[in-house]
Amino acid sequence: MLSSDRIAELRAQLRGELITPQDERYDATRKVYNAMIDRKPAAFAQCVDVADVMAAIRFARTHNVMVAIRGGGHNAGGLGVADDALVIDLAPMRYVHVDPASRTVRVGGGCRWADVDHATHAFGLAVPSGIVGTTGVGGLTLGGGLGHLTRKCGLTIDNLLAADMVLADGSFVVASAEQNSDLFWAIRGGGGNFGVVTSFLFRAHPVHTVCAGPMLWELEDAADIMKWYREFIVTAPEEINGFFMFMTVPPGPPFPEAFHLKKMCGIAWCSTASMEETGRILAPLRAYRPPAVEMVGPMPLPVLQSLFDGLYPPGLQWYWKADFFKELTDEAIEAHIQHGSQLPTWMSTMHLYAVNGAAHRVGPHETAWSYRDANWSEVIVGIDPDPANRDLISNWARAYFDALHPFGAGGAYVNFMMDEGEDRVRATYRDNYQRLAAVKAKYDPDNFFRVNQNIRPAAADSAHAS
Ligand SMILES: Cc1cc2nc3c(=O)[nH]c(=O)nc-3n(C[C@H](O)[C@H](O)[C@H](O)COP(=O)(O)OP(=O)(O)OC[C@H]3O[C@@H](n4cnc5c(N)ncnc54)[C@H](O)[C@@H]3O)c2cc1C
């Protein structure tokens, strides 16, 4: 608890609001996307500008208060909040400035991807992001960013040009290829370990209307579809992206009623090629196994980017486990079918995102994001509105993960991990970990920013090793 004097001291330094447990908005403010997370921070500094972030950091340092940084609040492990912490809440910093001449986009640190899609689409442009519009730009970008445009445009970090940051000592820096290039290397995959990003500068691409949507098949076709998909997606034209999934057909339109609540497998496509060209690319699949349900058609990119938003509103129970895969063997496919066909609730799912095409043109040491040699990022997600089903969805996800992990590449995408401990973080960064730890020691030697997938500063790290 912060004393009333301390609260008054910080409040006087902020232009944004300071929300404390005494405030009637406190309980609503402390909620994050995953309803399993129930943390009670000391206060939320709702920062409206860089000066607010500096003030909050200096206050926390002076009074030895732990900080958490919240972008969009979507982290499944709840890493945007922590008990007793001062939360640097970037929610008010939701501006997007598009420069159509240079095809660059300046994005406030608290934006959601739907904010960016809305602003860029008016100019026929897009920044590669994920697949859900309510996800925060901050966390998704700093962890890497996998989505519908990965194969054509690379990860989100491959399109990051610069970041404005406030460091652990409260100072302001720019990280880019020209300025603080070591920091720029580290934030492209290293998460919120190095400072608060108050704004991102992205390269945008001319993407307006895409040919997209799911194809679904009966579960008995799942092995054949997975085998077809594993061959196809590693060499497919980069215009096309598709992620494989096990899912239950949602009980409502636009899905045909006969399939409602039926467990199926599918591929969610997004093609930037024309309808005609996309049809030509997908013709062999349609001939091989005609989908039982097909909803592929032209749509504005922001429509695709928000297709899941209504299906997965904030406030559900989420538990997920993840791994990278270089290959998908027949044995791995058997394990997928065994567990993927047993989805414990209709919202639960498993997605295999392609990590190739343009994402493979960046080397494993060019950014902190190590797994450029993986072909898939798997995420197994137990989801349900009812807290009573918490164990059901978590146990299913863990058992599925345990069955597949022996076939994996070793690490997992940080943005698809819960709080799983240091070994998992190290496995994710492989031989980039030591360099990350050195950058951490330079910019945050006291591990001030530690509510994240934590990279320990190099000195502390060697002490730990000895
Ligand atoms: C429904 C859903 C769909 C998703 N889909 C995708 C997807 O398609 N592709 C994908 O790659 N990921 C996806 N994710 C994962 C997502 O990238 C992570 O959950 C990410 O952490 C969310 O970022 P956030 O800013 O919303 O989270 P928060 O909970 O606010 O923050 C997460 C972490 O990032 C840090 N952070 C956030 N903003 C900043 C900032 N401005 N400066 C410094 N540190 C910051 C926080 O300190 C924290 O450690 C999805 C998640 C959900 C729940």
Side-chain angles (χ1 to χ4, degrees), residues 141-184:
T141 301
L142 297 170
L146 281 167
H148 289 300
L149 297 177
T150 299
R151 297 191 76 254
K152 182 176 170 62
C153 308
L155 304 180
T156 305
I157 47 170
D158 300 337
N159 297 282
L160 181 65
L161 299 172
D164 285 357
M165 297 182 67
V166 181
L167 301 178
D169 62 2
S171 64
F172 173 84
V173 295
V174 174
S176 69
E178 293 77 34
Q179 299 180 69
N180 302 301
S181 57
D182 52 352
L183 183 60
F184 187 54

Short mmCIF file of all heavy atoms in Angstrom, two decimals, residues 141-184:
data_model
loop_
_atom_site.label_atom_id
_atom_site.label_comp_id
_atom_site.label_asym_id
_atom_site.label_seq_id
_atom_site.Cartn_x
_atom_site.Cartn_y
_atom_site.Cartn_z
N THR A 141 4.22 -6.57 -30.11
CA THR A 141 5.40 -6.17 -30.89
C THR A 141 6.69 -6.57 -30.17
O THR A 141 7.58 -7.19 -30.78
CB THR A 141 5.41 -4.64 -31.10
OG1 THR A 141 4.22 -4.29 -31.80
CG2 THR A 141 6.63 -4.21 -31.89
N LEU A 142 6.78 -6.27 -28.88
CA LEU A 142 8.06 -6.50 -28.19
C LEU A 142 8.38 -7.99 -28.08
O LEU A 142 9.55 -8.38 -27.96
CB LEU A 142 8.02 -5.83 -26.81
CG LEU A 142 7.89 -4.29 -26.90
CD1 LEU A 142 7.61 -3.70 -25.53
CD2 LEU A 142 9.14 -3.66 -27.51
N GLY A 143 7.34 -8.84 -28.15
CA GLY A 143 7.58 -10.29 -28.13
C GLY A 143 7.83 -10.86 -29.51
O GLY A 143 8.26 -12.01 -29.65
N GLY A 144 7.54 -10.13 -30.58
CA GLY A 144 7.79 -10.62 -31.95
C GLY A 144 6.68 -10.25 -32.92
O GLY A 144 6.89 -9.50 -33.85
N GLY A 145 5.49 -10.84 -32.72
CA GLY A 145 4.35 -10.51 -33.57
C GLY A 145 4.16 -11.45 -34.74
O GLY A 145 4.76 -11.29 -35.80
N LEU A 146 3.30 -12.46 -34.53
CA LEU A 146 2.97 -13.45 -35.57
C LEU A 146 1.52 -13.26 -36.00
O LEU A 146 0.65 -13.16 -35.13
CB LEU A 146 3.04 -14.85 -34.97
CG LEU A 146 4.38 -15.51 -34.78
CD1 LEU A 146 4.22 -16.75 -33.89
CD2 LEU A 146 4.95 -15.91 -36.13
N GLY A 147 1.25 -13.27 -37.28
CA GLY A 147 -0.14 -13.08 -37.69
C GLY A 147 -0.40 -13.39 -39.15
O GLY A 147 0.38 -14.11 -39.80
N HIS A 148 -1.49 -12.84 -39.66
CA HIS A 148 -1.95 -13.16 -41.02
C HIS A 148 -0.96 -12.72 -42.11
O HIS A 148 -1.02 -13.23 -43.23
CB HIS A 148 -3.29 -12.47 -41.28
CG HIS A 148 -4.44 -13.06 -40.51
ND1 HIS A 148 -4.83 -14.38 -40.63
CD2 HIS A 148 -5.30 -12.50 -39.63
CE1 HIS A 148 -5.89 -14.60 -39.86
NE2 HIS A 148 -6.19 -13.49 -39.23
N LEU A 149 -0.12 -11.72 -41.82
CA LEU A 149 0.77 -11.22 -42.88
C LEU A 149 2.22 -11.66 -42.68
O LEU A 149 3.13 -11.17 -43.36
CB LEU A 149 0.69 -9.68 -42.95
CG LEU A 149 -0.69 -9.11 -43.33
CD1 LEU A 149 -0.66 -7.59 -43.29
CD2 LEU A 149 -1.12 -9.59 -44.71
N THR A 150 2.44 -12.61 -41.76
CA THR A 150 3.82 -13.01 -41.43
C THR A 150 4.58 -13.52 -42.66
O THR A 150 5.74 -13.16 -42.87
CB THR A 150 3.81 -14.12 -40.36
OG1 THR A 150 3.19 -13.61 -39.18
CG2 THR A 150 5.21 -14.60 -40.01
N ARG A 151 3.95 -14.36 -43.46
CA ARG A 151 4.70 -14.96 -44.58
C ARG A 151 5.01 -13.92 -45.66
O ARG A 151 6.00 -14.01 -46.35
CB ARG A 151 3.94 -16.15 -45.18
CG ARG A 151 3.77 -17.29 -44.17
CD ARG A 151 3.28 -18.58 -44.81
NE ARG A 151 4.34 -19.27 -45.53
CZ ARG A 151 4.45 -19.32 -46.84
NH1 ARG A 151 3.56 -18.73 -47.61
NH2 ARG A 151 5.46 -19.96 -47.39
N LYS A 152 4.17 -12.91 -45.79
CA LYS A 152 4.41 -11.90 -46.82
C LYS A 152 5.32 -10.77 -46.32
O LYS A 152 6.21 -10.31 -47.04
CB LYS A 152 3.09 -11.30 -47.29
CG LYS A 152 3.26 -10.27 -48.39
CD LYS A 152 1.94 -9.77 -48.90
CE LYS A 152 2.11 -8.57 -49.83
NZ LYS A 152 2.89 -8.87 -51.04
N CYS A 153 5.10 -10.33 -45.09
CA CYS A 153 5.78 -9.11 -44.61
C CYS A 153 6.71 -9.35 -43.43
O CYS A 153 7.35 -8.41 -42.95
CB CYS A 153 4.74 -8.07 -44.18
SG CYS A 153 3.48 -7.72 -45.41
N GLY A 154 6.78 -10.56 -42.92
CA GLY A 154 7.63 -10.84 -41.76
C GLY A 154 6.89 -10.64 -40.46
O GLY A 154 5.69 -10.34 -40.43
N LEU A 155 7.63 -10.80 -39.35
CA LEU A 155 7.06 -10.57 -38.03
C LEU A 155 6.81 -9.08 -37.85
O LEU A 155 7.36 -8.25 -38.59
CB LEU A 155 8.03 -11.04 -36.94
CG LEU A 155 8.52 -12.50 -37.00
CD1 LEU A 155 9.49 -12.76 -35.84
CD2 LEU A 155 7.36 -13.45 -36.94
N THR A 156 6.04 -8.73 -36.84
CA THR A 156 5.82 -7.30 -36.56
C THR A 156 7.15 -6.60 -36.32
O THR A 156 7.39 -5.50 -36.84
CB THR A 156 4.88 -7.15 -35.33
OG1 THR A 156 3.69 -7.88 -35.60
CG2 THR A 156 4.54 -5.70 -35.08
N ILE A 157 8.05 -7.24 -35.57
CA ILE A 157 9.36 -6.59 -35.30
C ILE A 157 10.18 -6.39 -36.56
O ILE A 157 11.06 -5.53 -36.59
CB ILE A 157 10.22 -7.40 -34.29
CG1 ILE A 157 10.26 -8.88 -34.65
CG2 ILE A 157 9.78 -7.15 -32.88
CD1 ILE A 157 11.27 -9.69 -33.85
N ASP A 158 9.93 -7.17 -37.61
CA ASP A 158 10.68 -6.98 -38.85
C ASP A 158 10.24 -5.70 -39.55
O ASP A 158 10.86 -5.27 -40.54
CB ASP A 158 10.51 -8.19 -39.77
CG ASP A 158 11.00 -9.47 -39.11
OD1 ASP A 158 11.83 -9.37 -38.19
OD2 ASP A 158 10.53 -10.57 -39.48
N ASN A 159 9.18 -5.10 -39.06
CA ASN A 159 8.64 -3.87 -39.62
C ASN A 159 8.71 -2.71 -38.63
O ASN A 159 8.09 -1.68 -38.84
CB ASN A 159 7.19 -4.12 -40.07
CG ASN A 159 7.16 -5.18 -41.17
OD1 ASN A 159 7.47 -4.88 -42.31
ND2 ASN A 159 6.87 -6.42 -40.79
N LEU A 160 9.46 -2.93 -37.56
CA LEU A 160 9.65 -1.86 -36.56
C LEU A 160 10.88 -1.05 -36.97
O LEU A 160 11.96 -1.61 -37.19
CB LEU A 160 9.86 -2.48 -35.17
CG LEU A 160 10.06 -1.49 -34.02
CD1 LEU A 160 8.80 -0.64 -33.80
CD2 LEU A 160 10.40 -2.23 -32.72
N LEU A 161 10.71 0.26 -37.09
CA LEU A 161 11.81 1.13 -37.52
C LEU A 161 12.46 1.84 -36.34
O LEU A 161 13.66 2.13 -36.38
CB LEU A 161 11.30 2.17 -38.53
CG LEU A 161 10.70 1.59 -39.81
CD1 LEU A 161 10.06 2.69 -40.65
CD2 LEU A 161 11.78 0.87 -40.61
N ALA A 162 11.68 2.15 -35.33
CA ALA A 162 12.22 2.87 -34.16
C ALA A 162 11.23 2.81 -33.02
O ALA A 162 10.03 2.58 -33.23
CB ALA A 162 12.51 4.32 -34.53
N ALA A 163 11.75 3.02 -31.82
CA ALA A 163 10.88 3.08 -30.64
C ALA A 163 11.36 4.19 -29.73
O ALA A 163 12.57 4.33 -29.50
CB ALA A 163 10.91 1.74 -29.90
N ASP A 164 10.42 5.00 -29.23
CA ASP A 164 10.72 5.98 -28.18
C ASP A 164 10.60 5.24 -26.85
O ASP A 164 9.60 4.56 -26.61
CB ASP A 164 9.70 7.12 -28.19
CG ASP A 164 9.92 8.09 -29.34
OD1 ASP A 164 10.90 7.91 -30.09
OD2 ASP A 164 9.10 9.01 -29.48
N MET A 165 11.60 5.40 -25.99
CA MET A 165 11.58 4.61 -24.75
C MET A 165 11.97 5.44 -23.53
O MET A 165 12.81 6.33 -23.62
CB MET A 165 12.57 3.44 -24.86
CG MET A 165 12.22 2.45 -25.95
SD MET A 165 13.37 1.06 -26.00
CE MET A 165 13.02 0.23 -24.47
N VAL A 166 11.38 5.09 -22.40
CA VAL A 166 11.84 5.62 -21.11
C VAL A 166 12.51 4.46 -20.37
O VAL A 166 11.92 3.38 -20.21
CB VAL A 166 10.68 6.20 -20.28
CG1 VAL A 166 11.22 6.76 -18.97
CG2 VAL A 166 9.95 7.29 -21.07
N LEU A 167 13.75 4.69 -19.98
CA LEU A 167 14.56 3.62 -19.38
C LEU A 167 14.35 3.54 -17.86
O LEU A 167 13.65 4.37 -17.27
CB LEU A 167 16.04 3.86 -19.69
CG LEU A 167 16.41 3.92 -21.17
CD1 LEU A 167 17.90 4.22 -21.33
CD2 LEU A 167 16.05 2.61 -21.88
N ALA A 168 15.02 2.59 -17.26
CA ALA A 168 14.85 2.34 -15.81
C ALA A 168 15.32 3.50 -14.94
O ALA A 168 14.89 3.63 -13.80
CB ALA A 168 15.62 1.06 -15.43
N ASP A 169 16.19 4.37 -15.47
CA ASP A 169 16.61 5.54 -14.68
C ASP A 169 15.74 6.75 -14.98
O ASP A 169 16.04 7.86 -14.54
CB ASP A 169 18.09 5.86 -14.95
CG ASP A 169 18.34 6.23 -16.41
OD1 ASP A 169 17.37 6.27 -17.21
OD2 ASP A 169 19.52 6.49 -16.76
N GLY A 170 14.69 6.56 -15.75
CA GLY A 170 13.76 7.66 -16.04
C GLY A 170 14.19 8.50 -17.23
O GLY A 170 13.50 9.46 -17.59
N SER A 171 15.29 8.15 -17.89
CA SER A 171 15.74 8.95 -19.04
C SER A 171 15.03 8.48 -20.31
O SER A 171 14.56 7.35 -20.40
CB SER A 171 17.26 8.85 -19.21
OG SER A 171 17.61 7.51 -19.51
N PHE A 172 15.03 9.38 -21.32
CA PHE A 172 14.35 9.10 -22.58
C PHE A 172 15.39 8.77 -23.66
O PHE A 172 16.40 9.47 -23.76
CB PHE A 172 13.55 10.34 -23.01
CG PHE A 172 12.95 10.22 -24.39
CD1 PHE A 172 11.74 9.58 -24.57
CD2 PHE A 172 13.60 10.75 -25.51
CE1 PHE A 172 11.18 9.46 -25.85
CE2 PHE A 172 13.06 10.62 -26.78
CZ PHE A 172 11.85 9.98 -26.94
N VAL A 173 15.15 7.74 -24.44
CA VAL A 173 16.04 7.43 -25.57
C VAL A 173 15.20 6.99 -26.77
O VAL A 173 14.04 6.60 -26.62
CB VAL A 173 17.05 6.29 -25.28
CG1 VAL A 173 18.04 6.68 -24.20
CG2 VAL A 173 16.34 4.99 -24.92
N VAL A 174 15.84 7.06 -27.93
CA VAL A 174 15.26 6.47 -29.13
C VAL A 174 16.07 5.22 -29.44
O VAL A 174 17.30 5.24 -29.36
CB VAL A 174 15.32 7.45 -30.32
CG1 VAL A 174 14.83 6.78 -31.61
CG2 VAL A 174 14.47 8.69 -30.03
N ALA A 175 15.38 4.13 -29.75
CA ALA A 175 16.08 2.90 -30.18
C ALA A 175 15.76 2.69 -31.65
O ALA A 175 14.59 2.64 -32.04
CB ALA A 175 15.60 1.71 -29.35
N SER A 176 16.80 2.59 -32.46
CA SER A 176 16.62 2.35 -33.90
C SER A 176 17.93 1.76 -34.42
O SER A 176 18.88 1.57 -33.66
CB SER A 176 16.32 3.68 -34.61
OG SER A 176 17.48 4.49 -34.61
N ALA A 177 17.98 1.53 -35.73
CA ALA A 177 19.22 0.99 -36.30
C ALA A 177 20.37 1.99 -36.12
O ALA A 177 21.53 1.60 -36.02
CB ALA A 177 19.02 0.68 -37.78
N GLU A 178 20.05 3.29 -36.07
CA GLU A 178 21.09 4.32 -35.97
C GLU A 178 21.39 4.74 -34.53
O GLU A 178 22.49 5.16 -34.22
CB GLU A 178 20.68 5.59 -36.74
CG GLU A 178 20.59 5.42 -38.26
CD GLU A 178 19.34 4.70 -38.70
OE1 GLU A 178 18.29 4.89 -38.06
OE2 GLU A 178 19.40 3.93 -39.68
N GLN A 179 20.39 4.67 -33.67
CA GLN A 179 20.57 5.16 -32.29
C GLN A 179 20.35 4.01 -31.32
O GLN A 179 19.31 3.36 -31.37
CB GLN A 179 19.54 6.25 -31.97
CG GLN A 179 19.65 7.48 -32.86
CD GLN A 179 18.59 8.51 -32.47
OE1 GLN A 179 18.65 9.10 -31.40
NE2 GLN A 179 17.63 8.73 -33.34
N ASN A 180 21.28 3.81 -30.42
CA ASN A 180 21.16 2.73 -29.42
C ASN A 180 20.80 1.40 -30.10
O ASN A 180 19.82 0.75 -29.75
CB ASN A 180 20.12 3.10 -28.36
CG ASN A 180 20.47 4.41 -27.67
OD1 ASN A 180 21.53 4.52 -27.06
ND2 ASN A 180 19.62 5.41 -27.82
N SER A 181 21.61 1.04 -31.07
CA SER A 181 21.27 -0.12 -31.90
C SER A 181 21.26 -1.43 -31.10
O SER A 181 20.54 -2.37 -31.45
CB SER A 181 22.22 -0.24 -33.09
OG SER A 181 23.54 -0.32 -32.62
N ASP A 182 22.04 -1.48 -30.00
CA ASP A 182 22.00 -2.69 -29.17
C ASP A 182 20.63 -2.84 -28.50
O ASP A 182 20.06 -3.94 -28.43
CB ASP A 182 23.12 -2.69 -28.11
CG ASP A 182 23.19 -1.42 -27.27
OD1 ASP A 182 22.45 -0.45 -27.58
OD2 ASP A 182 23.96 -1.38 -26.29
N LEU A 183 20.09 -1.71 -28.06
CA LEU A 183 18.76 -1.72 -27.46
C LEU A 183 17.70 -2.07 -28.50
O LEU A 183 16.76 -2.85 -28.24
CB LEU A 183 18.48 -0.33 -26.86
CG LEU A 183 17.19 -0.10 -26.10
CD1 LEU A 183 17.08 -1.05 -24.90
CD2 LEU A 183 17.10 1.36 -25.62
N PHE A 184 17.88 -1.54 -29.69
CA PHE A 184 16.92 -1.83 -30.78
C PHE A 184 16.94 -3.31 -31.12
O PHE A 184 15.89 -3.92 -31.36
CB PHE A 184 17.28 -0.98 -32.01
CG PHE A 184 16.28 -1.07 -33.13
CD1 PHE A 184 14.93 -0.81 -32.91
CD2 PHE A 184 16.70 -1.40 -34.42
CE1 PHE A 184 14.00 -0.89 -33.95
CE2 PHE A 184 15.77 -1.48 -35.47
CZ PHE A 184 14.43 -1.23 -35.23
#
